[in-house]
Amino acid sequence: HTVLLIDVSGSVQSGLSARSDLSRLDAAAGLAMMARELCESCEVFTFTALRQLTTRLGFALRDAIGSPHGGTRLGAAVRYFQDRPHDRLIVLTDEESQDPVGAPRRGVQGYMINVASTERSVGFGDWTRLTGFSEQVLSWIQSQETVGT
């Protein structure tokens, strides 16, 4: 069971790069649309203030995600899931947060995907951190989890 957390704070309206017409939110929404299709069981939430989205697919999901607004309470959003059952937590964000972000719940695979970074990297720790926007991050997650089984 996957939980997708999508950052809709004001900072995600910034562009991915000087050479791109896509915003950070466009990148996050595109990844969310693909992940929603790939995941066997999936709940989708946006956060500044946590909001669960109804089950939608494709561009209907993009429409439900909405527009950037407000500040970022990523830490509060992650804490909300400490007592809720799930196996995987994927956060699509620019990692700007107004509060401290703790580790995902014990036993949960947590992926922090920073769609704002112009660098490409992978880091391991409490979170698996993937920086830089690419549609291949979802394939990479699948391959990592397949190798681990």
Side-chain angles (χ1 to χ4, degrees):
H1 181 71
T2 300
V3 170
L4 289 176
L5 277 175
I6 305 161
D7 185 345
V8 292
S9 65
S11 63
V12 297
Q13 67 190 343
S14 297
L16 281 179
S17 74
R19 297 176 301 194
S20 176
D21 293 333
L22 290 177
S23 71
R24 296 170 182 178
L25 183 58
D26 293 333
L31 287 173
M33 290 171 10
M34 289 188 290
R36 177 71 187 86
E37 295 289 334
L38 292 171
C39 296
E40 188 174 311
S41 170
C42 186
E43 291 180 278
V44 181
F45 294 80
T46 59
F47 68 92
T48 55
L50 195 64
R51 179 175 67 102
Q52 185 171 11
L53 304 181
T54 58
T55 304
R56 299 221 173 130
L57 300 173
F59 286 102
L61 175 59
R62 172 60 185 100
D63 293 343
I65 290 169
S67 303
H69 59 279
T72 310
R73 305 263 311 146
L74 176 53
V78 169
R79 281 189 302 278
Y80 177 80
F81 293 98
Q82 290 298 324
D83 297 324
R84 293 181 54 112
H86 60 290
D87 304 302
R88 180 188 304 122
L89 179 60
I90 299 175
V91 181
L92 303 167
T93 182
D94 61 6
E95 287 194 272
E96 293 184 20
S97 184
Q98 296 172 319
D99 59 345
V101 180
R105 189 182 82 191
R106 184 178 297 256
V108 168
Q109 185 59 54
Y111 298 95
M112 186 74 63
I113 301 174
N114 184 332
V115 296
S117 177
T118 58
E119 300 296 317
R120 304 280 188 261
S121 66
V122 177
F124 297 96
D126 291 333
W127 290 93
T128 299
R129 292 189 181 284
L130 304 158
T131 60
F133 168 69
S134 169
E135 67 279 1
Q136 294 302 314
V137 298
L138 299 173
S139 296
W140 185 87
I141 289 170
Q142 284 182 314
S143 69
Q144 287 299 116
E145 291 180 355
T146 302
V147 168
T149 58

